[in-house]
Structure formats: C-alpha cells, structure tokens
Amino acid sequence: MMHKILPCIVFIVWSCTGCALAQSEGDVYDDSFGILNFDYSLNVKSNEVLFKEQPQLDYFSVLYQDTVPYALFLYFNPSEKDSEGILKFYDLNFEGDKYLFKQEYGNKITFLAPKFNFRRIFGKAEGDIPPHVDEVWARVYRDSIVYIQRKLSTRSYQHKDYIKDTGPGVPPKYRGDLKKLGDDLSREFARSNNGERIDSILLYEATIDKLEHGDGLLIDLKLIVGNHSPFSILIENALQKTKKDWTPAFLHTGRLTKSKTKIYARLDRDGTILLQTPRMLSSRYK
C-alpha cells in the first residue's frame, strides 16, 4: 500500500538565559583554533526509561545546530557478542536515517537542547564576539547531561586540523542533480504505474568505490528498507545507470576512500519522487 510516513523528532529547548552559572559545573575557555567553549552539566533523568530498556547503552551524544539536533551517536558497552562495543550513528538531516531512527526508537529518546546566554557567560555582548558558527554537543548519561557549547570563529573552520560537521570526512556524492533525476523518474513512473500496491519509502545501501583520477563507482546496491516492486525496479535501474557518476568519500586527513553510503527514495502522494543521500560521513561506513 502506498503510504507516506513523516518521521518527526520531538525535542525540548532548555534555556539557561538568566540561570545562575555559579550553581552549575560550567567552564569557559578558548583554544588555539579560535573556538570559545562552554561546558555545563545538568542533573536530569529525562531518558531513564531508554537506559533501562537498553542496559548495554553507556551514553549517547547529540550534535545540535540552532537548538535542532542533526546528528545522534549511541555508544553501547562491550558484550559477549560485540567485544569492542557498538556505535550507532544517525544523520538526522538525512530522511533515510530519520526513518530508521523513528522505526527503532520512536519517541523513546528525549532531546533537551540548551539555549545559552552568551552575554552572561562571556561577559560581553553577542556582537563583540568574532564571526562564528554555533555548535552544541550534549552527552547524555542515565542521570545527567553534559553540554559543550562552542562558538567557532570563521578561522577555525578554515584551519586544516579542524574536522568539519560532515563527520570524519565528506560522504560520497552523486555528481548530477538528484532533484532533476527524481523529477524525471516521477514522470516515467506516472506513465508506467498500473495501480499496483507498493512501498512508497525505499532505502538502499551502496558502496562507492575509489577509482583512479578521483572518480567513484557505485557497486553493491542493496535494498534495506521496503519491498521489491515496480517502484523499486524503477529506482534501481536509474541508480545503476548512474554508477559512474559518483565521487568517492573524502577523509579530512586528506585522502579519498572507498566507503558505504545510503540512498533514500520516497514517492509522495502527488507523484513526486524525492532522492537523497547523507550529508555526514559516518566512521562506521569508511
């Protein structure tokens, strides 16, 4: 049955505007990359149920931008099955990861996004701070949350040693226009669809190999969400035709690398087809 699922993420903005920093465990410091840091600990058990249901979960980290969570990392302790522990990563700006996250955790994870008063923290007006990019990390434990608020100056983003918010590198990318490809497939599917029931959300995992001269090659395309149908056949045939039109992942250490990626395809009720790839490169997909 064709359906449209709109994954949502519920989070709460916690504001320390006007809070007494003397009562916190906060710390403010600067570093050589032009990054202003503010660490703040908060005793809270908002995710206690999650930790009870996931006894191997050590903690999880959320990366925020403008109080909106856009990356989630769950760290599980070693077990008999996994002696080194497990890291689960979700790029929350990528519809495919949002769908997987919603399927696995639903509303079990509560996001508490802090909103800091930087005039109070740094003793200066916001305008007195050099041009910056806000970044907030929240490390969530069973009974507490540690926030790390950073104001990154523009020079820190230009520093060769700074790892940008795409993760350990830049993920593989399709060289063409995914929107145009989706529009072309929408018209093709409208002409061929005979009303058969289909899954309107598909998620693929693929490997983008590294070739000579910086070229990439799409290989090992696997359907990991959704069932095979005329819609999936359309998408798979189109992706196979693009297999030479990809660039491999680029690590911030300075080299191209073979890596895995995901490709999300969604058929909306109006016949529009959305194609999307992740914005972040997960270390587990290197």
Side-chain angles (χ1 to χ4, degrees):
M1 178 173 64
M2 186 171 76
H3 57 281
K4 180 179 179 181
I5 298 178
L6 297 176
C8 63
I9 297 172
V10 179
F11 62 95
I12 302 169
V13 176
W14 174 76
S15 174
C16 75
T17 302
C19 69
L21 294 181
Q23 298 176 3
S24 74
E25 300 177 7
D27 186 25
V28 181
Y29 55 96
D30 195 354
D31 69 17
S32 59
F33 293 162
I35 301 176
L36 295 171
N37 295 267
F38 172 61
D39 297 359
Y40 185 87
S41 299
L42 180 68
N43 292 326
V44 63
K45 297 182 179 180
S46 57
N47 287 281
E48 190 173 18
V49 173
L50 172 69
F51 282 94
K52 286 182 178 179
E53 293 181 356
Q54 305 277 342
Q56 289 298 119
L57 180 62
D58 186 14
Y59 66 92
F60 65 89
S61 292
V62 187
L63 184 57
Y64 294 89
Q65 190 170 53
D66 298 327
T67 72
V68 177
Y70 71 92
L72 174 66
F73 305 80
L74 295 101
Y75 299 86
F76 293 84
N77 289 315
S79 64
E80 292 182 2
K81 293 182 179 180
D82 299 282
S83 59
E84 296 183 357
I86 298 175
L87 165 63
K88 289 186 177 180
F89 165 75
Y90 298 91
D91 178 352
L92 298 178
N93 273 344
F94 172 52
E95 293 295 330
D97 275 4
K98 282 203 293 187
Y99 179 86
L100 291 176
F101 169 77
K102 187 67 176 179
Q103 292 295 106
E104 185 162 0
Y105 294 101
N107 293 321
K108 293 180 181 179
I109 293 181
T110 301
F111 295 90
L112 292 171
K115 184 178 181 181
F116 294 98
N117 184 332
F118 271 88
R119 182 185 182 92
R120 187 179 184 90
I121 295 170
F122 293 110
K124 58 179 69 175
E126 193 83 8
D128 294 337
I129 300 175
H132 63 272
V133 176
D134 282 350
E135 186 176 90
V136 179
W137 278 96
R139 179 173 287 193
V140 183
Y141 296 93
R142 181 182 297 270
D143 57 1
S144 65
I145 303 177
V146 178
Y147 293 106
I148 301 175
Q149 171 82 22
R150 305 199 298 174
K151 296 188 89 64
L152 286 68
S153 71
T154 51
R155 70 184 175 89
S156 67
Y157 263 131
Q158 297 167 358
H159 195 285
K160 65 181 177 63
D161 293 328
Y162 179 68
I163 304 302
K164 300 182 180 178
D165 65 1
T166 53
V170 179
K173 290 294 181 184
Y174 173 55
R175 284 178 174 162
D177 186 341
L178 283 177
K179 184 181 184 307
K180 182 180 183 304
L181 179 59
D183 291 342
D184 292 343
L185 293 176
S186 298
R187 290 188 289 270
E188 183 177 345
F189 189 71
R191 291 192 299 267
S192 61
N193 184 24
N194 59 7
E196 182 178 342
R197 291 184 176 184
I198 62 170
D199 286 325
S200 61
I201 289 180
L202 304 174
L203 186 62
Y204 293 89
E205 184 178 271
T207 299
I208 307 299
D209 201 359
K210 181 192 71 169
L211 304 179
E212 295 181 359
H213 311 298
D215 294 327
L217 180 68
L218 185 150
I219 57 176
D220 298 333
L221 185 67
K222 298 177 182 178
L223 181 64
I224 59 175
V225 170
N227 294 313
H228 291 283
S229 68
F231 180 46
S232 70
I233 292 173
L234 175 76
I235 297 299
E236 289 163 19
N237 288 341
L239 291 176
Q240 291 295 349
K241 291 178 182 177
T242 71
K243 63 181 183 179
K244 294 183 179 180
D245 299 326
W246 293 76
T247 56
F250 175 77
L251 298 178
H252 289 310
T253 53
R255 64 184 178 89
L256 297 171
T257 184
K258 176 181 178 180
S259 70
K260 292 183 179 180
T261 191
K262 296 173 187 167
I263 304 170
Y264 174 83
R266 187 182 73 215
L267 175 63
D268 291 336
R269 293 185 183 276
D270 63 359
T272 301
I273 293 178
L274 170 69
L275 298 175
Q276 192 182 54
T277 55
R279 182 187 54 81
M280 300 184 71
L281 176 67
S282 168
S283 58
R284 67 173 179 164
Y285 282 130
K286 289 194 299 180

